[in-house]
Amino acid sequence: MSEQHIVSAYDRDLESIQGLIFKMSGLVEDAIAKSVEALSTRDVELAETVRAADKQIDALEERINDEAARTIALRAPVSKDLRIILSVLRISSSLERIGDYAKNIAKRVPVLAEQRAITESDATLRRMAREVERMLKDTLDAFVQRDATLAQEIITRDSDIDQMYNALFREFFTYMLEDPRNITACMHLHFVAKNLERMGDIVTNIAEQVIYVTTGSRPDEPRPKGDQTPFIGTVD
């Protein structure tokens, strides 16, 4: 088998795997949007569709893992090619985790539908979700384009998510102090906000993988972290 034929086969394999990554990312973005929409409207049926659709995300992760393992076994990639394949595995794992967080948000909807409404937080939660979706889309674009500059910009944008989370934390704490009847709803909403904040962290992990693929090294500067809140337990 000629070297040119081997390279061509590897490129086809990689293109196929990247297509699966984009499909998985689309499902994850949809899960984020629908989980927060279900939360805002207290739509239990929509929340259930998010939970059910998570199986598709899990199945895609398994398929990507299988395809990546097959490519490593058949093509024996080295250097940058190997970095790309290993990064694909980490990206698919990260996407699966984000999907799990969206599913966990959807799980809160039936409980919150029975609680006192804390409607003031809905707009901020929607903004957080939209920003996570934009960051995720931009990160996948940076991966395909091998754009380390865009990936670094996305890492800095995570501080916006942290700031929104910090504001919500203070808001929920105030509501709980003002009226103990708000405690259950605020605890669940805090769980939702924390899940969105963690999604932002995972997207920055993906962006760091993009930098690694493109440059061969990881970011030198420690990631700025804006979450300044103390830990409070979340109800499951």
Side-chain angles (χ1 to χ4, degrees), residues 169-189:
F169 179 89
R170 292 189 293 269
E171 188 176 308
F172 294 145
F173 194 69
T174 299
Y175 286 140
M176 289 189 286
L177 288 177
E178 289 176 347
D179 190 338
R181 291 176 296 177
N182 292 329
I183 290 176
T184 298
C186 285
M187 290 291 283
H188 281 284
L189 287 169

Side-chain angles (χ1 to χ4, degrees), residues 8 40 127 146 224 226:
S8 177
S40 297
R127 283 199 305 275
R146 306 292 188 261

Side-chain angles (χ1 to χ4, degrees), residues 10-236:
Y10 169 77
D11 289 341
R12 286 197 302 271
D13 289 346
L14 182 59
E15 184 177 344
S16 174
I17 293 171
Q18 287 185 156
L20 293 175
I21 285 286
F22 266 93
K23 183 176 181 181
M24 188 177 181
S25 177
L27 291 176
V28 170
E29 290 175 32
D30 190 57
I32 297 169
K34 287 182 177 177
S35 65
V36 174
E37 180 184 349
L39 178 73
S40 297
T41 59
R42 303 302 190 261
D43 188 334
V44 175
E45 290 185 6
L46 181 59
E48 185 55 38
T49 66
V50 174
R51 297 175 63 179
D54 187 61
K55 294 178 181 178
Q56 299 177 48
I57 295 172
D58 293 342
L60 270 175
E61 184 197 16
E62 290 184 13
R63 185 176 172 189
I64 289 167
N65 290 346
D66 290 344
E67 290 292 323
R70 186 185 67 83
T71 300
I72 291 172
L74 291 177
R75 315 301 178 199
V78 296
S79 188
K80 186 174 182 179
D81 290 339
L82 182 59
R83 288 203 308 270
I84 292 172
I85 293 295
L86 294 178
S87 292
V88 161
L89 291 170
R90 294 189 179 100
I91 290 170
S92 68
S93 176
S94 294
L95 290 173
E96 190 275 335
R97 287 175 60 201
I98 296 174
D100 282 346
Y101 282 132
K103 179 180 68 175
N104 289 341
I105 291 173
K107 286 181 179 178
R108 304 283 149 171
V109 173
V111 178
L112 284 164
E114 304 297 326
Q115 302 297 319
R116 290 164 58 94
I118 311 291
T119 55
E120 292 83 354
S121 64
D122 286 351
T124 303
L125 290 171
R126 287 195 298 271
R127 283 199 305 275
M128 287 182 73
R130 284 195 298 270
E131 181 57 23
V132 169
E133 290 174 56
R134 283 194 291 263
M135 286 172 61
L136 180 56
K137 180 182 181 302
D138 290 346
T139 301
L140 269 293
D141 287 344
F143 175 68
V144 170
Q145 298 164 14
R146 306 292 188 261
D147 189 338
T149 302
L150 176 58
Q152 185 61 55
E153 176 192 323
I154 292 160
I155 291 172
T156 63
R157 283 161 56 185
D158 185 49
S159 61
D160 295 336
I161 302 292
D162 292 336
Q163 289 174 12
M164 285 185 275
Y165 169 73
N166 292 336
L168 280 172
F169 179 89
R170 292 189 293 269
E171 188 176 308
F172 294 145
F173 194 69
T174 299
Y175 286 140
M176 289 189 286
L177 288 177
E178 289 176 347
D179 190 338
R181 291 176 296 177
N182 292 329
I183 290 176
T184 298
C186 285
M187 290 291 283
H188 281 284
L189 287 169
H190 172 258
F191 179 95
V192 170
K194 189 62 179 176
N195 274 232
L196 289 168
E197 187 267 337
R198 286 172 176 167
M199 288 181 192
D201 288 343
I202 295 172
V203 173
T204 60
N205 290 341
I206 299 175
E208 288 174 352
Q209 284 296 318
V210 173
I211 293 173
Y212 173 63
V213 166
T214 306
T215 67
S217 60
R218 301 189 185 279
D220 295 327
E221 296 296 324
R223 181 194 308 171
K225 192 62 191 149
D227 176 6
Q228 303 294 328
T229 62
F231 172 78
I232 63 172
T234 52
V235 284
D236 289 325

